[in-house]
Amino acid sequence: MTDLPDDGVLADIGLPPRHQGRILLIACGALAHEILALKRKNGWHHLDLQCLPANLHLWPDRIADAVEAAVLAHRAAYDRLFVVYADCGTGGLLQARCAALGVEMMTGPHCYAFFQGTEDFLSRADEEFSAFYLTDFLVRQFDAFVWHPMGLDRHPELRETYFGNYTKLIYQAQTDDPALDTKAQDCAARLGLAYERRFTGYGDLQTALARAAQ
């Protein structure tokens, strides 16, 4: 990236002016609120954010292509890019694509793991295989990302089909928000699951962004 032309030349050939010393985060839209909160808290003013639609998680096979398109669209304008996705159901495809593009990304299987801390999350896997997880974002968007896409608003009898093998809902709270806690309890009741609130804060997301910000 150090041998790119200066801003004037970039503008002349139709490319965006290069943001000297800036880093672009290409992130899942489900993490936008948390990333912006961490930017403000830590004064990471040199980090810019480009979010992809959160509903890509409904079609994880599309995530790698969407990330690649964003990388190719923006890489010439930044000193460095960092992809704020975990594997997220891509079966290793996203990691392979990022490696081919030469950009770094989050580690871990999904955001539930890195919010809790991937090592801790994986250590509990055998005892929590019947848990359904929600984050702050998913509590806020429960109807849009769970209830409606699964058809439970139209066919409540499907609840047993989808969730019959789950025993509890674990709300991984990034913030202390009583309103979200109340809503998460309601989500658990609607799914017929026991409820547990687990405060995680930002977990490995904060660590990864701190590394990217260096």
Side-chain angles (χ1 to χ4, degrees):
M1 300 293 289
T2 56
D3 58 350
L4 286 172
D6 63 23
D7 286 1
V9 175
L10 284 171
D12 288 342
I13 62 176
L15 294 174
R18 185 163 174 242
H19 303 296
Q20 295 286 349
R22 301 195 71 81
I23 299 165
L24 180 66
L25 306 176
I26 296 174
C28 172
L31 302 175
H33 186 274
E34 289 71 29
I35 292 171
L36 291 173
L38 285 168
K39 272 171 52 70
R40 288 191 297 268
K41 174 184 175 182
N42 293 283
W44 292 331
H45 305 300
H46 62 300
L47 299 185
D48 292 339
L49 177 61
Q50 175 68 47
C51 281
L52 301 181
N55 66 1
L56 279 174
H57 282 289
L58 299 175
W59 307 279
D61 57 306
R62 302 180 187 179
I63 292 176
D65 286 344
V67 167
E68 179 175 2
V71 168
L72 296 179
H74 296 287
R75 75 184 318 163
Y78 284 88
D79 285 345
R80 190 152 55 91
L81 281 70
F82 184 79
V83 174
V84 195
Y85 274 88
D87 180 73
C88 299
T90 69
L93 181 60
L94 181 57
Q95 183 176 15
R97 192 72 62 88
C98 286
L101 291 165
V103 295
E104 189 181 358
M105 62 174 281
M106 293 282 302
T107 59
H110 38 60
C111 63
Y112 310 126
F114 67 64
F115 274 136
Q116 185 167 311
T118 299
E119 185 176 344
D120 182 47
F121 183 90
L122 295 178
S123 73
R124 302 182 190 222
D126 288 342
E127 62 189 74
E128 293 187 348
F129 62 89
S130 63
F132 182 70
Y133 296 91
L134 294 180
T135 62
D136 282 11
F137 173 85
L138 285 171
V139 171
R140 293 189 190 96
Q141 301 295 332
F142 181 78
D143 285 342
F145 279 80
V146 179
W147 200 252
H148 296 318
M150 289 186 168
L152 292 167
D153 56 327
R154 304 176 300 280
H155 301 285
E157 70 276 7
L158 290 174
R159 185 179 71 175
E160 184 62 26
T161 301
Y162 291 140
F163 294 96
N165 292 322
Y166 289 94
T167 58
K168 65 178 176 179
L169 183 151
I170 297 177
Y171 166 36
Q172 295 179 326
Q174 281 73 69
T175 55
D176 284 315
D177 186 331
L180 284 181
D181 189 23
T182 298
K183 187 171 182 180
Q185 291 182 61
D186 177 66
C187 294
R190 290 164 68 183
L191 296 177
L193 302 176
Y195 178 69
E196 177 183 338
R197 180 185 185 275
R198 181 177 297 166
F199 180 77
T200 64
Y202 300 110
D204 291 346
L205 178 63
Q206 178 163 296
T207 306
L209 292 188
R211 186 174 68 249
Q214 293 177 356

